Amino acid sequence: MIKVSDYIAGFVAGLGIKHAFAITGGASIHMIHSIAERSDIDYVCPHHEQAGAMEADAYARISGNLGCAIATSGPGATNLVTGIAGAWFDSVPVLYLTGQVARFRFKGETGVRQMGFQETDIVSMVKPVTKYAVLVEKAEDLRYELERAVHIAREGRPGPVLVDIPDDLQREMIDPSTLRGYEPPPATAMKKAPSADQISQCVELLRGASRPVLVLGFGVRLSGAAALVPELMARIGAPVCPSWAAADMIPGDDPLLGGTFGTHGSRAGNFTIQNADLVLCIGARLSTRETGSPTSSWAREAKTVIVDVDPSELRKFPAFGKPLELAVEADAKLFIEALIAALKGQSLPAYGEWTARVADWRRRYPACLPAYRQETLANPYVFVETLSRHLHDDDVIVVDTGCAVAWMAQGFQFRRGQRMLHAFNNTPMGYGLPGAIGAAFALGGKRRVICVAGDGSFMMNMQEMATLQHHQLPVKLFLINNNGYSMVQQTQEQWLGGKYYATSQGPEGGLSFPDFSALAKSFSVDVTEIVRNDDIEPSVGRTLQLPGPALCNVHIASGSRVIPQSRFGYPIEDSEPLLPRDEFLANMIVKPMPVSLQDLPPPAKAR
């Protein structure tokens, strides 16, 4: 006979999970103690459940296994929700374990809001952002529900699950041999493969195209197909435009790279997508940030093939005015393997004129313009370019939201083997530091992790500096410090007359920021500073060489913006600052899309 909490700890350890991110409380204490008594798994104490949820998410992304986070009932459980949503939208398998009040304190059918102290129906709250959420009320159901949750988290399109376990149940004694297990239905255990006819159609469409583009998304990595990308690119020989979540799969010097695309994408990537006559998209969700609005404006003269494991993602395109030439419901890896096999021994068109034009766009519209290097104050694009030169081939980079992720996606030059993590689709402020901590634990706490975060995002989870310092993790945090929320300020400039309410430091803006260097030192974390462009090269190198955790305070001008950026109402190829009309039209092969300029505020001025 063993205690239920001991069974839970053994189950999690049996999954190969080495670290559970846990904040204690009356309803989670038994699970944490049971983990602490084992030698094959350990607990890590974040200082906010939101951070713990994000740490478990990043742990899963880097380890390729499930992540695990534990929280107590009530506010402990509700604090997990933002992190759970990030895992849900990015299809990351995470097991969230929450303690619940004792069953004899349940409110039941009384109609009251709460009976037990901190009693909260977390299962109902998280059902929209989990693949499975369940309250276990009987010990005999425990093994079944844990096994079922883990299977669902991994099968098909992965995602988070939550198992809620009452405090008194955790303390029960059970005979594990009597617990019933979960047998998944045979159909759910099979990954869906493309049909031979679908692969043949893809090959014929590639043969008939003159300006094809290969779009890769995070689903390629989730399926385990990242290692197949070089061969796929070589077989097709067409330009490649990765989503932000797939940008780390394509080296920055690859001649076939078109660039990232979307409302905050590169000019070259957007010109490539919008002038294509065929788009083959594998494992990319294509949100409105990637397509712009309306969706029908995206790749509007291209035949479009979408490969996705989720049929709902395929159905959305016709519903939003973008009919598909071919919709393939299939696992990305199985599709890529089948397409590579079909292309062996066959020759596709060379696409030479098209690839040369894409290369010319990349040459003429780099993220870091020459003028930026001549500025005195530190420029974010110069910083990103410099950082990419200094990093190792196996470095993991975790990026927070806002301008930080846009600058990195536009300007960072990846090398094969590097990884970039971000909560790409939920994009919460505050993911960067917890994500870096989770990644560091997944790497065994030995390999360095790079974190790039804006000052506003850092404020959301800066308490995790204590976790960083406690474990002496080799995380190098580059804090982009401009005393405000610059991405929202860019929107205020476009639509609200440049009034920075709630986005800038000072009485009118309403924000306040601490002395970040002094803050880091209070956590016994080493600090470096960047103020001018001339500081970037030596300070980046010095920061990366420091042992243990370090913070580099990168001061940039408050007016630094994401350039280019497409505002609502403009197709993604016509981004701000707007190019001179003759130059813009010279870049367009397809017919430009008319825009009702009289309905829009004046465009931002080029800097």
Side-chain angles (χ1 to χ4, degrees):
M1 302 289 286
I2 66 170
K3 195 166 76 167
V4 163
S5 62
D6 290 339
Y7 179 85
I8 295 168
F11 178 84
V12 175
L15 297 173
I17 297 171
K18 301 299 183 185
H19 298 91
F21 300 90
I23 290 186
T24 193
S28 62
I29 192 169
H30 287 277
M31 288 187 285
I32 296 171
H33 274 245
S34 292
I35 286 174
E37 295 295 322
R38 299 185 64 95
S39 60
D40 53 355
I41 186 173
D42 201 358
Y43 65 90
V44 177
C45 295
H47 286 271
H48 194 291
E49 289 89 356
Q50 181 193 91
M54 294 170 174
E55 287 161 7
D57 166 289
Y59 184 96
R61 294 179 194 237
I62 291 299
S63 69
N65 194 4
L66 273 75
C68 179
I70 300 173
T72 192
S73 61
T78 58
N79 279 345
L80 293 172
V81 173
T82 298
I84 293 174
W88 166 252
F89 291 118
D90 281 6
S91 308
V92 180
V94 183
L95 173 62
Y96 292 100
L97 298 173
T98 51
Q100 187 53 272
V101 301
R103 289 166 291 181
F104 59 83
R105 294 193 175 98
F106 282 9
K107 63 184 180 180
E109 301 300 322
T110 62
V112 300
R113 294 186 178 184
Q114 185 185 68
M115 183 63 70
F117 175 66
Q118 294 187 332
E119 180 186 8
T120 303
D121 183 5
I122 190 62
V123 167
S124 296
M125 291 182 179
V126 302
K127 276 188 175 178
V129 290
T130 55
K131 290 190 71 180
Y132 186 63
V134 63
L135 169 65
V136 181
E137 297 193 64
K138 296 185 292 185
E140 54 262 38
D141 294 335
L142 181 66
R143 176 186 169 190
Y144 174 89
E145 292 294 1
L146 287 171
E147 290 179 356
R148 184 182 185 189
V150 167
H151 170 76
I152 292 172
R154 288 172 164 161
E155 64 94 17
R157 183 178 182 177
V161 294
L162 182 142
V163 181
D164 196 29
I165 308 165
D167 170 60
D168 62 322
L169 191 151
Q170 294 176 42
R171 291 180 272 124
E172 281 190 16
M173 302 300 292
I174 56 170
D175 179 356
S177 66
T178 65
L179 301 181
R180 66 187 179 108
Y182 173 72
E183 290 293 333
T188 67
M190 300 293 291
K191 292 184 177 180
K192 190 162 186 178
S195 68
D197 183 60
Q198 288 171 329
I199 294 297
S200 295
Q201 287 184 65
C202 286
V203 173
E204 290 307 310
L205 286 168
L206 288 166
R207 277 210 183 95
S210 58
R211 301 188 307 278
V213 177
L214 176 63
V215 171
L216 301 177
F218 194 49
V220 173
R221 188 176 292 284
L222 286 171
S223 71
L228 298 174
V229 168
E231 183 176 1
L232 177 69
M233 291 172 59
R235 295 282 177 190
I236 295 177
V240 181
C241 289
S243 71
W244 283 5
D248 56 5
M249 290 192 290
I250 317 296
D253 60 357
D254 194 298
L256 291 177
L257 177 62
T260 57
F261 60 95
T263 58
H264 297 75
S266 64
R267 286 201 194 275
N270 284 338
F271 280 136
T272 302
I273 290 285
Q274 297 299 82
N275 284 302
D277 64 359
L278 173 67
V279 174
L280 171 56
C281 176
I282 307 173
R285 196 171 65 84
L286 297 180
S287 69
T288 53
R289 181 185 54 75
E290 292 164 316
T291 65
S293 296
T295 304
S296 57
S297 69
W298 187 79
R300 53 189 173 273
E301 292 190 17
K303 295 179 179 178
T304 307
V305 179
I306 305 287
V307 182
D308 204 290
V309 73
D310 186 343
S312 297
E313 295 290 351
L314 298 171
R315 289 192 294 267
K316 77 180 182 188
F317 290 99
F320 284 93
K322 177 63 179 174
L324 302 181
E325 187 73 17
L326 180 62
V328 183
E329 182 188 344
D331 173 79
K333 184 177 183 180
L334 295 180
F335 176 85
I336 291 172
E337 288 174 337
L339 183 58
I340 288 174
L343 291 173
K344 286 181 178 178
Q346 300 192 38
S347 59
L348 294 175
Y351 314 127
E353 183 179 340
W354 171 232
T355 55
R357 183 153 191 172
V358 172
D360 184 59
W361 282 326
R362 287 194 67 201
R363 179 186 59 79
R364 288 193 290 125
Y365 300 112
C368 187
L369 299 173
Y372 297 166
R373 300 186 184 92
Q374 308 307 315
E375 294 177 359
T376 300
L377 295 176
N379 181 284
Y381 287 101
V382 177
F383 162 74
V384 168
E385 182 186 74
T386 305
L387 181 66
S388 65
R389 290 201 311 270
H390 277 267
L391 296 191
H392 298 156
D393 291 355
D394 62 349
D395 276 332
V396 172
I397 307 110
V398 184
V399 188
D400 221 314
T401 197
C403 288
V405 67
W407 287 324
M408 289 290 289
Q410 287 180 339
F412 193 87
Q413 300 294 302
F414 288 97
R415 293 197 290 275
R416 199 171 301 283
Q418 291 177 336
R419 290 287 307 275
M420 181 173 77
L421 272 61
H422 177 66
F424 290 101
N425 292 300
N426 198 38
T427 59
M429 294 174 71
Y431 180 85
L433 182 55
I437 290 170
F441 276 106
L443 294 168
K446 303 300 181 185
R447 278 172 51 192
R448 77 180 182 193
V449 175
I450 313 303
C451 179
V452 179
D455 47 5
S457 295
F458 177 68
M459 291 289 287
M460 294 287 178
N461 271 316
M462 64 181 179
Q463 76 285 337
E464 293 311 295
M465 292 291 283
T467 311
L468 192 66
Q469 187 276 339
H470 178 81
H471 295 278
Q472 282 297 294
L473 298 172
V475 172
K476 315 303 177 187
L477 170 61
F478 291 90
L479 180 69
I480 311 298
N481 185 353
N482 63 351
N483 298 307
Y485 301 166
S486 55
M487 183 165 279
V488 185
Q489 288 177 356
Q490 195 163 356
T491 301
Q492 289 171 320
E493 290 163 359
Q494 292 171 334
W495 299 99
L496 296 165
K499 296 178 180 179
Y500 303 134
Y501 300 142
T503 60
S504 64
Q505 182 165 268
E508 182 179 283
L511 296 180
S512 295
F513 294 95
D515 180 335
F516 290 110
S517 295
L519 178 71
K521 290 175 183 176
S522 76
F523 286 104
S524 301
V525 170
D526 288 331
V527 174
T528 59
E529 301 268 353
I530 291 174
V531 177
R532 302 159 59 89
N533 269 349
D534 290 345
D535 302 331
I536 295 176
E537 187 80 33
S539 292
V540 166
R542 186 163 60 253
T543 304
L544 294 173
Q545 293 302 316
L546 288 170
L551 181 143
C552 181
N553 196 352
V554 185
H555 301 270
I556 65 171
S558 61
S560 298
R561 298 291 182 258
V562 175
I563 297 176
Q565 184 253 336
S566 303
R567 74 163 74 188
F568 181 83
Y570 283 78
I572 61 172
E573 73 271 19
D574 204 5
S575 50
E576 296 184 355
L578 299 179
L579 295 175
R581 294 298 84 183
D582 56 346
E583 181 180 351
F584 170 72
L585 293 173
N587 285 307
M588 294 304 296
I589 301 171
V590 307
K591 184 178 179 181
M593 182 177 172
V595 176
S596 299
L597 294 176
Q598 67 272 18
D599 297 332
L600 297 170
K605 294 179 180 179
R607 51 177 294 171

